[in-house]
Amino acid sequence: MTYFEEIHRQTGIKHRHGADWQGIDPEFAARLRSQNRFQSGLDIARHTAKVMRADMETYDKDPAQYTQSLGCWHGFIGQQKMISIKKHFGSTNGRYLYLSGWMVAALRSEFGPLPDQSMHEKTSVPALIEELYTFLRQADARELGGLFRDLDKARKAGDEAAAAKAQQAIDNHKSHVVPIIADIDAGFGNAEATYLLAKKMIEAGACALQIENQVSDEKQCGHQDGKVTVPHEDFLQKIRAIRYAFLELGVPEGIIVARTDSLGAGLTKQIAFSREPGDLGDQYNRFLDCEVVEGVGEKGDVLMNRDGLLVRPKRLPSNLFQFRPGTGEDRCVLDCITALQNGADLLWIETEKPHIEQIAGMVDRIREVVPNAKLVYNNSPSFNWTLNFRQQVYDAWEAEGRDLSMFERDQLMSQHYDDSDLAKEADEKIRTFQRDAAKRAGIFHHLITLPTYHTAALSTDNLAKRYFGEEGMLGYVKQVQREEIRQGIACVKHQNMAGSDIGDDHKEAFAGEAALKAGGENNTMNQFAA
């Protein structure tokens, strides 16, 4: 519906109420409707799920059309990210938000900073989803408010061309509301707990939920040690629970991202139930590290029949069972195939380093069974990207027989090598990593889980060093405000960003000439008008 079609609709509503609504302006009502396109989190989830599905279909046709996101831990951070993307690229197409459970634990828990072990309040995750979309919707309202003021200014000046241009911009406005891939960890409990939390996250607006195959009460960050996986059927119960949550809430296009931590997990909490040889339980149990038992075993033994032999799975003092070394990749592939065959839409393989061929080797095997398998991949800050890629180039050059006498492989992080050809080639591989991995390794979506955690720390350190040092106020003005002005950062007008102009528009509509508006001549924000 166009802007003027909405005005016409609101005019009809006013006329039906006659003189009782004489103080209501249909055009302002139309503006409010335009500024609040999404009436609920479910409206957002349904819209963004369709956006993401369309992006997945586009990627299947052309892997160059991969998508990206950055993890955001606050609504303002997510809002500024999307405003920046629109400013620099004109469109939010293919750009999402990622909600990291790690950052929720580290930054949003009432307990204070926590490790990524699902100890934070489960309600903090849907709360952050709702917060992110509140800020994104406010970005829409702010931007449209500016376009409405442009329209009013053009009308007042009698400039029909400018008025037509403003109206066209209003009708073609692109929302800041984009898909969020939200981390539900390992489900915070059993399948019922997963279902209940999934509903809260979807109701808050999430169209894509990422769940991992670790045990929920022993969950660890994917880049730390001590990870414990669950049998396939346990994980599939949670995938089904999430799908039912999407269906119940009327979001059938909702997306499930099935994450496997098997590559780095050497432990399981339980032996899988098996009905017959070769079923999923049996396949899972065959990865267990076992020793053949002579006789009937010893007191307290857990024993299994494997191919007619009595075997004892290796059990740790923690009562966890150990997988055979070197089985991680095979377990990963089976995890992925099984998840896709049981309702998951996308895969997440947590690796220990960013190596395209390692990822592609597993994806090739998965695609032998599920040809359109696609990945979400964590371009993790836990990787030392500089060292990893310099070592990859070093190893490639060594295989080619090139002279490496000037390099020490374990010291390649050193600034001493920054201007070398090896470092330059490594940086180019980092630059093209997402493009190359999307083409070779089936990665549909690239994300960085914790970037804004690190940027907040880095920028605050730089400001503190300058402001509390010799530079004083110049440390803020030179490094922050002057750059905001020159780079056109919208929040240099922080009152406007916080909604003062939106509030003035409302005051004028509600109170007319009696409105006490904030944006007058004496507003110091006017210093930034140029």
Side-chain angles (χ1 to χ4, degrees):
M1 186 177 292
T2 67
Y3 176 54
F4 279 103
E5 286 172 343
E6 182 60 33
I7 294 173
H8 180 73
R9 191 178 75 85
Q10 295 290 344
T11 301
I13 294 172
K14 175 181 178 178
H15 285 167
R16 287 198 295 275
H17 289 81
D20 293 344
W21 281 28
Q22 60 181 334
I24 297 299
D25 178 5
E27 182 164 8
F28 186 72
R31 292 182 176 187
L32 290 177
R33 287 287 293 176
S34 299
Q35 288 174 303
N36 190 18
R37 174 181 170 187
F38 302 102
Q39 303 298 302
S40 71
L42 284 176
D43 287 341
I44 292 172
R46 293 181 186 115
H47 167 74
T48 53
K50 292 175 182 176
V51 169
M52 199 165 167
R53 289 281 178 186
D55 288 345
M56 290 163 65
E57 290 181 10
T58 299
Y59 172 82
D60 283 339
K61 297 173 185 174
D62 179 7
Q65 302 302 312
Y66 59 90
T67 56
Q68 299 168 290
S69 66
L70 296 174
C72 297
W73 55 271
H74 191 278
F76 177 73
I77 301 297
Q79 178 198 64
Q80 292 305 301
K81 173 188 143 183
M82 299 319 299
I83 287 174
S84 175
I85 286 170
K86 285 193 73 174
K87 180 182 78 172
H88 291 295
F89 305 104
S91 169
T92 60
N93 292 348
R95 279 90 175 196
Y96 305 163
L97 294 181
Y98 178 67
L99 186 156
S100 161
W102 191 101
M103 284 208 286
V104 173
L107 299 170
R108 301 299 299 252
S109 172
E110 292 182 8
F111 294 108
L114 293 171
D116 184 20
Q117 296 172 351
S118 293
M119 295 189 291
H120 55 283
E121 309 85 351
K122 64 174 70 176
T123 53
S124 59
V125 183
L128 179 53
I129 297 169
E130 184 175 2
E131 177 183 293
L132 284 162
Y133 279 127
T134 295
F135 274 79
L136 294 184
R137 291 162 70 193
Q138 193 261 8
D140 282 355
R142 171 187 166 275
E143 191 169 65
L144 281 163
L147 294 175
F148 294 142
R149 286 187 285 278
D150 290 343
L151 177 60
D152 292 341
K153 183 178 179 181
R155 287 174 176 172
K156 187 175 181 180
D159 190 338
E160 294 183 5
K165 182 179 179 181
Q167 181 187 331
Q168 185 179 35
I170 293 165
D171 288 339
N172 295 325
H173 178 260
K174 301 297 183 184
S175 176
H176 296 82
V177 171
V178 297
I180 287 178
I181 299 176
D183 186 356
I184 198 172
D185 278 35
F188 288 86
N190 61 14
E192 175 69 8
T194 302
Y195 157 77
L196 293 171
L197 179 56
K199 287 212 306 180
K200 288 293 185 185
M201 294 170 72
I202 298 163
E203 288 169 342
C207 73
L209 301 183
Q210 166 220 326
I211 186 163
E212 59 205 70
N213 69 335
Q214 291 191 46
V215 292
S216 57
D217 59 342
E218 297 280 355
K219 184 254 193 261
Q220 294 277 12
C221 173
H223 293 282
Q224 292 184 310
D225 207 356
K227 294 180 288 294
V228 183
T229 62
V230 298
H232 294 89
E233 183 52 41
D234 292 37
F235 189 52
L236 298 181
Q237 290 175 20
K238 295 185 177 183
I239 289 177
R240 286 193 286 270
I242 294 173
R243 179 60 64 206
Y244 279 121
F246 275 124
L247 292 171
E248 177 182 343
L249 296 173
V251 192
E253 298 91 351
I255 289 136
I256 300 173
V257 182
R259 168 177 154 176
T260 173
D261 281 287
S262 290
L263 200 61
L267 303 170
T268 185
K269 196 167 189 177
Q270 64 202 78
I271 296 172
F273 176 73
S274 173
R275 292 181 175 86
E276 58 186 42
D279 65 11
L280 273 178
D282 183 46
Q283 291 181 68
Y284 188 80
N285 292 338
R286 284 181 178 276
F287 291 120
L288 293 173
D289 197 357
C290 300
E291 56 188 2
V292 176
V293 175
E294 300 294 340
V296 295
E298 300 176 5
K299 183 179 178 181
D301 270 352
V302 174
L303 303 177
M304 294 193 315
N305 184 324
R306 178 184 286 174
D307 299 329
L309 296 176
L310 198 61
V311 297
R312 178 191 297 116
K314 291 185 179 178
R315 186 165 55 163
L316 306 180
S318 59
N319 207 33
L320 299 171
F321 295 96
Q322 189 170 299
F323 289 114
R324 282 184 286 114
T327 62
E329 184 170 314
D330 290 338
R331 286 184 280 124
C332 247
V333 171
L334 183 60
D335 292 340
C336 291
I337 292 171
T338 303
L340 291 176
Q341 290 176 332
N342 287 271
D345 303 288
L346 294 169
L347 302 171
W348 175 314
I349 299 175
E350 193 77 351
T351 65
E352 80 286 357
K353 60 182 179 295
H355 194 291
I356 291 176
E357 285 306 316
Q358 179 198 27
I359 305 162
M362 289 182 280
V363 172
D364 287 345
R365 294 175 61 188
I366 296 163
R367 285 184 162 179
E368 289 176 5
V369 182
V370 186
N372 68 337
K374 293 180 284 295
L375 271 64
V376 171
Y377 188 71
N378 176 11
N379 293 225
S380 177
S382 293
F383 302 144
N384 185 332
W385 286 78
T386 301
L387 181 60
N388 266 293
F389 276 83
R390 287 182 182 182
Q391 288 182 339
Q392 288 181 37
V393 173
Y394 180 99
D395 293 342
W397 284 12
E398 185 177 50
E400 295 171 7
R402 295 177 62 167
D403 180 14
L404 295 167
S405 57
M406 67 172 290
F407 301 105
E408 293 183 47
R409 190 179 186 279
D410 293 338
Q411 303 298 318
L412 288 174
M413 183 67 195
S414 170
Q415 286 181 295
H416 173 70
Y417 298 120
D418 283 358
D419 293 325
S420 68
D421 288 343
L422 184 148
K424 291 174 183 176
E425 184 170 328
D427 280 353
E428 179 62 12
K429 286 183 177 294
I430 294 172
R431 187 185 73 82
T432 64
F433 173 81
Q434 294 189 341
R435 181 194 70 193
D436 297 339
K439 181 178 181 181
R440 172 69 184 95
I443 297 176
F444 157 74
H445 186 78
H446 282 280
L447 60 89
I448 308 178
T449 43
L450 322 174
T452 53
Y453 178 90
H454 292 279
T455 56
L458 180 61
S459 61
T460 301
D461 180 83
N462 288 333
L463 175 60
K465 177 178 62 177
R466 293 182 171 99
Y467 176 74
F468 293 104
E470 291 298 320
E471 292 185 37
M473 191 58 195
L474 182 62
Y476 171 77
V477 172
K478 183 178 179 181
Q479 302 298 326
V480 180
Q481 189 183 77
R482 192 176 295 169
E483 289 304 310
E484 285 182 304
I485 295 169
R486 290 176 176 174
Q487 294 183 40
I489 305 300
C491 71
V492 70
K493 297 183 180 181
H494 46 260
Q495 308 285 10
N496 167 270
M497 185 58 65
S500 64
D501 288 326
I502 295 173
D504 279 358
D505 294 339
H506 292 175
K507 290 176 184 177
E508 187 171 13
F510 302 157
E513 293 181 356
L516 184 63
K517 297 195 289 185
E521 292 182 2
N522 293 326
N523 189 326
T524 55
M525 190 172 66
N526 295 332
Q527 296 175 35
F528 303 107

